[in-house]
Amino acid sequence: MIALSLTEIAAIVGGQSYDIPDPAVQVTGSVVYDSRQVEPGSLFAAFAGEHVDGHDYAERAVAAGAVAVLATRPVGVPAIVVPDVTAALGALARTVVERLGSTVVALTGSAGKTSTKDLIAQLLQRKGPTVWPAGNLNNEIGLPVTALRATEDTQHLVLEMGARGVGHIRYLAELTPPRVGLVLNVGSAHIGEFGGREQIAQAKGELVEALPAAEDGGVAVLNADDPLVKAMASRTKARVVFFGEADDASVRAENVRLTENGQPSFKLHTPTGCSDVTMRLYGEHHVSNALAAAAVAHELGMPVHEIAAALSEAGSLSRWRMEVTERPDGVTIVNDAYNANPESMRAALRALAAMGEAARAKGGRTWAVLGLMAELGDEALAEHDAVGRLAVRLNVGKLVAVGGREASWLQLGAYNEGSWGEESVHVSDTQAAIDLLRSELRPGDVVLVKASRSVGLERVAQALLENTTEGEVAGR
């Protein structure tokens, strides 16, 4: 964060100082809300959660080097007390971003936000110092905490914006006003909360509504392959740039194919030229993510040959997203267990199917270890059934559905699509899945693990890689 005195911070957030011996002392480090992440010069934000109250860790944070605590009550150590810590963080982020003048790139979408954010960050780093969130810090707490990591030399600030309702993205965009806004897609994620895709589109489109006008440098980067996203062009005063495989996309892919390992290869076309790309990431869905990142980088002045080289070299910066690891015995584990929705589940299954040919050449099989897709509301049964059926149509060798009712719908969809019999099985929990896989896996097999975050299927992947029991993994 840029250096700010406690006096300045208190004025920005409208707070009252308590137990501060020297108000001129500056916060020179990051803003954190986990006392274990405190470093000398930090500001510790104390949140009162359902199970843990950050105020109870105020003394520990100061002892670890925090200059002060942002809190809702006095805590016996240097503190700035405010009515609402979340609102105070937002005010602080807004002030810092305004003072810095860095180019803010914001993105949203139902699927692929984090992977695309990681690609954009890796491209823009080649142009200059870039700040982006770790993982998917994309809400009213994570976004300002990320923005506050920016310093005087930061040229690009890449921010992911999530929403669980109309108005959420509008609020985030007010905290960190973007110059470039990217909308990836409108899918089924959180459809149970929104009530339908049209409502999701309404919420996602708040990002392009927040952009400056074209004459002031605003750029809306929209997916030409998604009708609901393409229609957002009418909702912005910014200049519109389309990406995708459609003919009218100015940044598009041609000759898309997958290597035998399931890695996408294509020719990247931009208004200033074209170049070949072969990615290190897995799955054809990364083509759209790469085009989105390329469109942003191109708008910020990056040459096409450099964009292509960066995309070809880029890796995954966030854990449990199509992490591919081959064990010494030849079994390959694809850990995509961070989260799941119908669109990302279909993309992961297609990536697994693409890896199947190479697996079968080694005498191996493909396994899909799948669980609940959360927050689908009335669409849950149909969507889980459809994913199970897709696994059969893609010729996935084995399906292991893990968990309760929704997992049984996955298994039933697979069973009804074809006479799979023993090829589809429903198990009660992660330990049952681990036990089954340990007894059945053989060299050459490829195992995809994917479900919504609440299922915790990453424990299956970790156990298979570490050769431990679920309990041992969970206790690490």
Side-chain angles (χ1 to χ4, degrees):
M1 190 174 89
I2 62 174
L4 292 172
S5 72
L6 295 181
T7 297
E8 290 177 291
I9 293 173
I12 291 168
V13 303
Q16 186 173 354
S17 299
Y18 284 84
D19 301 311
I20 296 177
D22 183 4
V25 169
Q26 293 184 323
V27 173
T28 56
S30 55
V31 177
V32 300
Y33 51 86
D34 185 335
S35 62
R36 295 167 295 184
Q37 297 175 350
V38 169
E39 298 175 348
S42 294
L43 177 67
F44 176 63
F47 289 96
E50 183 178 352
H51 303 292
V52 177
D53 188 344
H55 295 79
D56 297 336
Y57 295 85
E59 290 186 20
R60 179 185 300 180
V62 171
V67 174
V69 179
L70 191 61
T72 57
R73 62 177 186 267
V75 286
V77 293
I80 296 171
V81 175
V82 294
D84 185 330
V85 173
T86 300
L89 275 183
L92 189 57
R94 182 166 48 242
T95 298
V96 167
V97 170
E98 288 173 353
R99 291 188 184 183
L100 286 174
S102 307
T103 297
V104 177
V105 177
L107 70 152
T108 192
S110 295
K113 292 188 296 296
T114 299
S115 296
T116 305
K117 172 264 300 178
D118 288 348
L119 289 174
I120 294 171
Q122 290 174 84
L123 267 62
L124 295 186
Q125 267 196 308
R126 295 185 174 221
K127 287 180 57 61
T130 301
V131 170
W132 67 94
N136 64 335
L137 297 177
N138 60 19
N139 62 12
E140 66 277 9
I141 296 174
L143 182 136
V145 165
T146 299
L148 290 169
R149 288 175 39 223
T151 60
E152 286 83 355
D153 65 347
T154 299
Q155 293 185 21
H156 312 106
L157 181 57
V158 181
L159 298 171
E160 182 180 329
M161 294 186 176
R164 292 182 177 273
V166 172
H168 291 183
I169 290 177
R170 183 182 304 113
Y171 170 76
L172 296 177
E174 289 172 354
L175 300 186
T176 55
R179 183 168 81 80
V180 180
L182 163 63
V183 184
L184 294 171
N185 45 56
V186 173
S188 302
H190 311 305
I191 196 169
E193 295 185 347
F194 280 94
R197 283 185 171 83
E198 291 73 17
Q199 290 87 345
I200 295 173
Q202 181 62 35
K204 301 298 184 185
E206 291 170 359
L207 175 56
V208 300
E209 292 175 344
L211 295 170
E215 55 268 29
D216 296 321
V219 180
V221 180
L222 302 177
N223 186 350
D225 300 330
D226 186 321
L228 289 174
V229 175
K230 192 172 184 179
M232 294 177 190
S234 65
R235 296 171 59 183
T236 184
K237 296 179 181 179
R239 185 164 58 85
V240 175
V241 174
F242 289 115
F243 70 92
E245 296 185 48
D247 291 339
D248 60 346
S250 59
V251 177
R252 66 186 188 278
E254 292 184 354
N255 303 325
V256 177
R257 66 179 185 86
L258 293 178
T259 69
E260 65 175 13
N261 294 322
Q263 295 163 307
S265 179
F266 59 94
K267 183 174 286 292
L268 171 66
H269 286 260
T270 74
T272 57
C274 59
S275 191
D276 293 326
V277 175
T278 298
M279 302 184 74
R280 292 171 52 200
L281 302 176
Y282 294 83
E284 189 173 341
H285 60 290
H286 280 300
V287 174
S288 182
N289 298 341
L291 292 176
V296 170
H298 185 268
E299 285 301 312
L300 295 181
M302 197 168 180
V304 63
H305 68 275
E306 192 172 346
I307 293 172
L311 288 174
S312 296
E313 296 171 10
S316 176
L317 303 182
S318 302
R319 64 179 183 172
W320 306 340
R321 292 169 173 86
M322 294 301 289
E323 290 181 359
V324 179
T325 308
E326 184 174 349
R327 298 192 327 193
D329 64 355
V331 172
T332 298
I333 308 298
V334 183
N335 186 352
D336 196 31
Y338 189 84
N339 215 335
N341 56 58
E343 289 76 25
S344 67
M345 192 76 88
R346 289 193 286 269
L349 283 173
R350 291 190 179 101
L352 176 65
M355 301 169 75
E357 185 174 344
R360 287 188 289 273
K362 300 176 184 178
R365 304 154 297 178
T366 50
W367 293 73
V369 183
L370 310 179
L372 159 76
M373 297 179 290
E375 300 174 343
L376 295 179
D378 294 339
E379 302 293 322
L381 172 56
E383 293 289 5
H384 285 85
D385 178 84
V387 166
R389 291 175 182 272
L390 179 63
V392 176
R393 293 198 294 273
L394 291 174
N395 199 30
V396 173
K398 303 277 187 176
L399 171 67
V400 180
V402 185
R405 179 182 59 175
E406 290 83 357
S408 71
W409 295 339
L410 287 166
Q411 192 268 343
L412 186 62
Y415 187 84
N416 289 336
E417 181 67 21
S419 300
W420 263 23
E422 296 180 357
E423 280 72 28
S424 64
V425 60
H426 176 213
V427 297
S428 60
D429 54 30
T430 54
Q431 187 59 56
I434 292 167
D435 294 340
L436 172 66
L437 291 162
R438 281 185 172 152
S439 66
E440 295 286 340
L441 290 180
R442 67 191 187 205
D445 285 357
V446 180
V447 184
L448 167 69
V449 181
K450 187 169 183 63
S452 281
R453 186 73 191 89
S454 59
V455 182
L457 277 196
E458 74 278 358
R459 295 194 292 270
V460 174
Q462 289 175 291
L464 294 177
L465 289 172
E466 298 180 9
N467 196 30
T468 62
T469 66
E470 179 196 3
E472 289 172 334
V473 171
R476 286 180 185 271

